Amino acid sequence: MVCILAIETSCDETAAAVVRDRHIESNVIASQISAHEPFGGVVPEVASRAHLQNINGVIATAMAEAHCDWAAIDAIAVTCAPGLVGSLLIGVTAAKTLAMVHHKPLVGIHHLEGHLYASYLAEPTLKPPFLCLLVSGGHTSLIGVYGCGQYQLFGQTRDDAAGEAYDKVARLLGLGYPGGPVMDRLAQSGNPDAFTLPEGNISLANGKVHPYDSSFSGLKTAVARLVSQLRDTHGENLPVADIAASFQKAVAHALTKRAIAAAVDHGFTTLAIGGGVAANSGLRQHLTAAATPLGIRLIFPPLRLCTDNAAMIGCAAADHLRQGERSPLSLGAKSRLSLLELGQLYGR
């Protein structure tokens, strides 16, 4: 079994884990939510400084909890793209230093590939091909998985990611940061049919709409207009739970419609969900209701593996290492990199 020490610092979570193939030995996360909450979102400079303060302790804790010494580690893995470049640099620098000091191979991992691999940790017997709906604060994509490093992008958001839309609407309603969990809780006591909100279709030149691409900026604008109208008639006594429920229904419907269409059109019998929005109860309910009658198997990682973590990075690295893929010590941090270009992380 391949034993990987993995590091993840792509945004506002400082994380380290020890993973043996698809088994988690340790998975340590230092959250920065309290640091960013006063600003209503992630502040890149604050995130970088927090990573710098936390990284050594998080790595040491991950090694200790795994009861692991450096002789047992086969490689050092690190998220190197995409993400906040300052945050990524902290993790990449730490990983390169450890690789040099302990004479270990270095494996750079694409952050989105890590989220794909969370499904392997949830279901160790999972085998490609399968479809993954990846929904987070920065990404919304439909990805066909055919093997390690073998992916096909079927659909993506053309503007805001689903998680980003949640945070923006939550800020509009004065619900604080992060918005997703609060909106989800409120939606469960609201009426999802209270307000009709747009789906956000992407028009094509032939007059049809794109079957898999999504858009959430228009939905966010529609909620802003709705809130403005309601304030004119209700003052500050807004039906926040009903707004949250209606918004969540619109997001869940749009994502479910596109994911199921892609699965049916391309013959996938397994649909995995990844990213922070995979924890959303409304999305889970909509997907389950749509997939079950069609015999499509759904895989929802446990909540601790939906948000950013290093275990998923280590799991991906184990497969790349097994394929003989390593990254040079000149590996850099990239704020943007397509999942279809991850081969450049290994010189191919």
Side-chain angles (χ1 to χ4, degrees):
M1 297 179 70
V2 177
C3 187
I4 305 289
L5 170 68
I7 298 169
E8 153 65 35
T9 61
S10 64
C11 189
D12 63 334
E13 308 282 15
T14 311
V18 175
V19 176
R20 292 184 185 275
D21 288 344
R22 298 182 180 180
H23 176 72
I24 301 172
E25 299 286 336
S26 65
N27 192 22
V28 180
I29 302 172
S31 174
Q32 297 181 15
I33 288 177
S34 60
H36 299 286
E37 192 171 14
F39 305 100
V42 176
V43 180
E45 177 64 20
V46 173
S48 299
R49 289 180 180 273
H51 286 310
L52 191 60
Q53 293 169 352
N54 294 332
I55 188 72
N56 288 338
V58 167
I59 293 171
T61 301
M63 293 287 287
E65 289 187 0
H67 305 289
C68 186
D69 59 22
W70 290 105
I73 298 296
D74 294 306
I76 311 295
V78 63
T79 304
C80 59
L84 300 176
V85 69
S87 294
L88 288 168
L89 279 169
I90 303 301
V92 169
T93 301
K96 289 163 69 172
T97 301
L98 291 172
M100 287 187 288
V101 169
H102 298 286
H103 307 288
K104 305 293 182 182
L106 177 70
V107 184
I109 296 296
H110 193 286
H111 181 72
L112 300 193
E113 186 177 35
H115 278 300
L116 298 178
Y117 268 81
S119 296
Y120 288 115
L121 291 172
E123 294 284 345
T125 60
L126 176 64
K127 294 182 179 180
F130 61 90
L131 180 68
C132 182
L133 171 62
L134 200 160
V135 276
S136 67
H139 307 278
T140 299
S141 306
L142 277 166
I143 301 165
V145 180
Y146 300 96
C148 178
Q150 300 173 32
Y151 309 115
Q152 182 176 356
L153 182 63
F154 291 111
Q156 60 188 330
T157 180
R158 295 292 187 93
D159 40 59
D160 291 353
E164 182 182 2
Y166 263 96
D167 285 338
K168 287 180 177 178
V169 171
R171 191 179 308 127
L172 182 68
L173 296 173
L175 300 178
Y177 172 86
V182 179
M183 291 278 287
D184 192 11
R185 287 195 297 271
L186 280 170
Q188 303 190 38
S189 63
N191 177 10
D193 298 314
F195 305 103
T196 301
L197 295 170
E199 182 179 319
N201 291 317
I202 302 298
S203 298
L204 298 176
N206 59 9
K208 297 182 179 180
V209 298
H210 196 290
Y212 315 130
D213 278 359
S214 56
S215 168
F216 295 105
S217 65
L219 173 58
K220 175 202 66 181
T221 301
V223 174
R225 288 175 177 169
L226 173 64
V227 169
S228 178
Q229 292 167 1
L230 290 172
R231 281 190 173 132
D232 288 341
T233 57
H234 294 70
E236 293 302 317
N237 188 26
L238 298 176
V240 176
D242 288 347
I243 296 172
S246 299
F247 170 81
Q248 181 151 293
K249 177 184 176 181
V251 173
H253 171 76
L255 292 173
T256 297
K257 176 181 176 180
R258 288 156 176 77
I260 296 299
V264 171
D265 292 348
H266 297 279
F268 291 105
T269 58
T270 298
L271 173 59
I273 321 300
V277 184
N280 182 268
S281 65
L283 178 59
R284 290 184 176 225
Q285 291 163 9
H286 274 72
L287 282 168
T288 300
T292 301
L294 298 173
I296 297 173
R297 176 191 180 197
L298 291 176
I299 297 178
F300 292 103
L303 300 187
R304 65 191 175 90
L305 296 177
C306 290
T307 53
D308 292 351
N309 66 90
M312 64 186 191
I313 302 303
C315 186
D319 268 8
H320 281 287
L321 189 68
R322 202 175 285 110
Q323 291 185 165
E325 293 179 322
R326 294 166 172 78
S327 301
L329 288 175
S330 59
L331 180 73
K334 296 179 179 291
S335 61
R336 294 181 181 274
L337 182 70
S338 168
L339 183 64
L340 306 182
E341 299 175 322
L342 63 78
Q344 65 183 257
L345 302 178
Y346 318 110
R348 60 173 170 84

